Structure formats: C-alpha cells, structure tokens
Amino acid sequence: MRVSEGRVTVTVPEQPEAGKGADVFFNPVQELNRDITVAALRAYRERTPRVSTYLDATAASGIRGVRAAANDWETTLCDIDDDATALCEQNLERNDLAASVRRSDANVLMHSEAFDVVDVDPFGTPIPFADAAVQGTKHLLCVTATDTAPLCGAHFESGVRSYGAVPRNTEFHAEMGMRVLLSAMVRTAARYDIAARPILSHATKHYARTYLEFDHGAKVANDCIDELGYVHHCQHCLWRDHDYGLIADPPEDCPVCDKHLQTAGPIWLGRTCEPAFADAVSEQVTEEMGTADEARELLATLSEEIDTPTHYDQHRLCKRWGRGAEAMDEFIEKLRDTGYEASRTHYGGTTFKTDADVVEIREATAE
Ligand code: SAM
C-alpha cells in the first residue's frame, strides 16, 4: 500500500484490524500527529537554529523519520524489528533521501548517543523509553502515549504502575491523561538534573502528544518539580481545586456540596503549551499536509487556551444543573462579560477553561 504524506510517499503493509499482526505497523489516523511533528520541527529549528539531528526512535515504516529527512534534518531511524528497518531503508530510497537506519533497541541507542531532537512514538506507554530518551536528548523530546485508559484513570492500577501517580477518571479525562504523562516525564528528567518543559501538547481520545524542551541544571529542574501537584475533584457537583507540592492537602469534603472529593496526582499543573510556539508551529503548516486545516484549527485553539489545570464541559455542567446547553461562543462571552477569563479548549467542542469556579460559572451563565 502506498501512502503519501507531506513531501514523501512511502510503502506500508496492508494493515489488519487496528494494525494488529501487521508485519510493520502503520496508523493512518496519526497523520495529524505527524503533520504537526513536521511543522513543530520546522518551528523548533527557527527557535533554536543550532539543532540539526533528529532520532525517530520507534520508526516502524519510517514515515516520521523520512518526513524529517525530507525537511533537511540529519535523521536517524531506529526500530528493534528487522522488517521495520528494511522498510525504512526502502522508504528512504524511494524518496531519494539519505539517513542512518539502526536495527536496535532504542533504549540501547539512546543510552549511547545523543540527538538534538528525539521522537518516541511507541505502542502504548512511552515510559519504558523515558529514562534513555531523557539521556539521549539534547534539546527537544517529542513523546506520544496511546495508553489513554491507564493515563486518565479508567485503568487505575495500570496507570499507577506505569506513571507513578494517582490518575482519576474525571470528566476532564484527556487533560488528566496529558498531565499524568507530563508529570512522569518531568520527574524522569529531574532525576538527571534536567528541566523538561512542555512547549506544545495536544490530546485526543486516541493519544496524548507532547514536545518537551530541555534545560540543564538542578535549580531549573527543581523549578519544574515545583509545578507538580494535586487536583481535588467532586464527582457530584464537578467542583475542583488544585494545590502545588508533593504532599497532597485536600479539603476534607467538597466545599459546595459536602460530598467526598477524589484527589489525583502528582500531576503537572504548569503550562502544557507555549502560545507563541503554537503560533509558530501553525505558521509552518503547509498546504502539502493532508491535515493542514485541522492542524491549523487545533493549533489556534491551543494558542488561545487559558492556563488552568482542568477544563469543563458545558453539556455536562448544564445536565447537572437541569438546564439546556447553549452556543459555546455565547456561553464563553457571558463568563467574560462577568469578568472571568474563559476560552474554548482543544479537548472537545463543548469544553472550556475559566478561572471561575463551578458556582461562579453557574451564576455567570444563568439566563
Ligand atoms: N512512529 C511510527 C509512525 O509514526 O508510524 C509508529 C511506531 S509503532 C507505534 C512502534 C514501533 O516501535 C514498532 O515498529 C516496534 O517494532 C518498535 N519498537 C518496539 N520496541 C522497541 C524498542 N525497544 N526499540 C526500538 N523500537 C521498538
């Protein structure tokens, strides 16, 4: 099967259901993820002109690395599987591109060599690659996680085991997953006196993706750790709050309805995205990308998202309150008119962020 993405055309095996059992894995649904990766690589090179080397650590067909090579990155493609690396070679040749192909365990490679940018896009959780990836990255670590059920607390024990944090299955589950992933990556980097700060992150129901910029030093790593903390959440009235620090300090019960609160953490409470970088990435989305419109729309929403650690869903709130939902723009305008900050989020069409709490939202948006 031939697939064209961006400037390249690659061959990938026909994929049985959900890619399971294929000789080499390929997921067409990840085209948006790959288009944004290419745009992010272009924007990152403008931001940090000295970067030149890119490792596609779990390459499969090589489509990500081939696209990086087509954008003039000095690229290395790595996969543990013989069929995958053979296909990477063919796909480079087909596009008349040169890159280094390694049949290796990515952990071994990343422990022995460092690259300006490392991309870890594995099956499921990236955690088995996290320590080596931190050591093998000089500037930017790009990570995908597709194990959304453990990340967001739907598979609680698995989430605790993989990420060393308590995830909770809340109505802001995709953001919970993103912040659990970021917490684990930040704590991994901190072990090596590295601050890993997300400059771009996006989540869908299928995966979480983040781009972490590195800064070296114990002091900056401590500053990053200071942005970890806990979210306390009421399943009944949907009130929530957060506190910073590695020791959870939850209120005893929900201050609004007196019901039991659930606590999740330590999660990343800091920014998940730099608005200026999201704008710079958007400028690098070009027409040859199959998901250009979707990518630009996503990046615009990311750039506008206000900086709070959880989001709400208007429909869920209105259902709780026994009233009808309304157009998102009007709903957000009511919050702003009352003096609160408010924005849509990329987590869903009816989601929003605000600095108002759940009682204030209800009052501000009443008829
Ligand atoms: N990045 C690819 C893309 O955009 O199409 C998809 C990668 S696929 C989800 C994961 C790949 O990781 C598989 O090809 C698998 O063989 C490879 N893999 C699994 N364990 C590995 C390891 N320890 N080192 C290197 N590659 C590994």
Side-chain angles (χ1 to χ4, degrees):
M1 179 164 87
R2 276 194 185 185
V3 174
S4 294
E5 275 189 17
R7 296 174 186 165
V8 309
T9 298
V10 297
T11 304
V12 299
E14 290 288 345
Q15 301 290 303
E17 191 200 335
K20 286 190 186 103
D23 290 343
V24 179
F25 179 85
F26 175 74
N27 185 357
V29 172
Q30 294 271 8
E31 183 175 3
L32 175 69
N33 179 336
R34 290 186 288 265
D35 282 348
I36 290 179
T37 301
V38 171
L41 286 175
R42 291 174 182 165
Y44 195 68
R45 193 157 40 194
E46 293 210 337
R47 177 185 172 110
T48 316
R50 63 190 183 282
V51 296
S52 61
T53 56
Y54 170 82
L55 171 67
D56 181 357
T58 49
S61 67
I63 186 155
R64 231 168 252 271
V66 173
R67 292 186 66 180
N71 278 270
D72 297 327
W73 284 81
E74 205 180 299
T75 302
T76 301
L77 299 96
C78 169
D79 203 288
I80 202 163
D81 181 74
D82 284 325
D83 292 337
T85 47
L87 192 55
C88 288
E89 303 268 16
Q90 284 169 31
N91 283 330
L92 283 163
E93 203 177 305
R94 173 184 298 283
N95 290 281
D96 211 9
L97 292 165
S100 164
V101 178
R102 309 279 187 90
R103 201 209 63 77
S104 166
D105 184 327
N107 283 325
V108 174
L109 176 61
M110 295 186 294
H111 267 300
S112 57
E113 264 179 65
F115 303 83
D116 292 327
V117 180
V118 168
D119 201 324
V120 178
D121 178 59
F123 294 128
T125 174
I127 291 301
F129 299 97
D131 277 278
V134 164
Q135 290 173 75
T137 300
K138 291 185 191 165
H139 295 284
L140 186 72
L141 175 57
C142 323
V143 177
T144 311
T146 59
D147 58 331
T148 51
L151 273 172
C152 74
H155 294 170
F156 180 78
E157 287 86 358
S158 168
V160 171
R161 282 198 313 277
S162 291
Y163 293 97
V166 173
R168 292 292 184 192
N169 199 359
T170 61
E171 79 278 3
F172 48 95
H173 49 87
E175 185 163 14
M176 171 69 66
M178 177 62 77
R179 292 179 182 278
V180 166
L181 170 67
L182 289 170
S183 163
M185 296 308 300
V186 164
R187 283 180 284 122
T188 303
R191 287 205 290 275
Y192 304 94
D193 289 351
I194 293 170
R197 282 191 179 278
I199 55 173
L200 186 73
S201 311
H202 58 101
T204 71
K205 59 183 179 217
H206 303 295
Y207 64 89
R209 172 80 168 165
T210 187
Y211 298 76
L212 296 150
E213 187 171 48
F214 282 15
D215 192 3
H216 291 76
K219 161 85 177 63
V220 284
N222 285 343
D223 293 345
C224 251
I225 292 289
D226 286 345
E227 290 187 57
L228 298 174
Y230 293 84
V231 168
H232 316 295
H233 172 257
C234 174
Q235 294 284 22
H236 183 71
C237 73
L238 307 184
W239 178 89
R240 72 284 294 260
D241 196 7
H242 61 274
D243 58 59
Y244 290 87
L246 290 177
I247 298 169
D249 186 19
E252 207 153 285
D253 290 308
C254 175
V256 175
C257 68
D258 287 335
K259 295 275 193 302
H260 172 69
L261 289 172
Q262 283 196 323
T263 292
I267 63 169
W268 174 251
L269 295 174
R271 273 196 176 282
T272 57
C273 190
E274 266 184 25
F277 189 65
D279 292 341
V281 175
S282 185
E283 276 168 31
Q284 297 295 344
V285 172
T286 40
E287 284 320 309
E288 83 272 7
M289 295 180 179
T291 70
D293 291 345
E294 198 184 342
R296 285 194 194 104
E297 197 179 319
L298 170 61
L299 290 158
T301 310
L302 287 172
S303 164
E304 296 285 309
E305 245 175 49
I306 67 167
D307 176 27
T308 60
T310 64
H311 66 268
Y312 298 89
D313 185 317
Q314 193 217 153
H315 285 189
R316 282 174 197 248
L317 286 176
C318 288
K319 204 168 160 199
R320 295 276 156 142
W321 299 335
R323 71 184 206 208
E326 63 184 311
M328 279 305 286
D329 288 344
E330 283 166 30
F331 187 86
I332 285 172
E333 226 28 71
K334 283 182 182 171
L335 284 166
R336 288 182 181 155
D337 287 349
T338 319
Y340 298 111
E341 273 193 272
S343 73
R344 284 176 178 266
T345 90
H346 78 288
Y347 294 102
T350 56
T351 65
F352 65 99
K353 286 186 172 238
T354 179
D355 55 354
D357 71 21
V358 77
V359 176
E360 292 165 336
I361 299 169
R362 188 175 187 170
E363 280 168 10
T365 60
E367 295 301 312

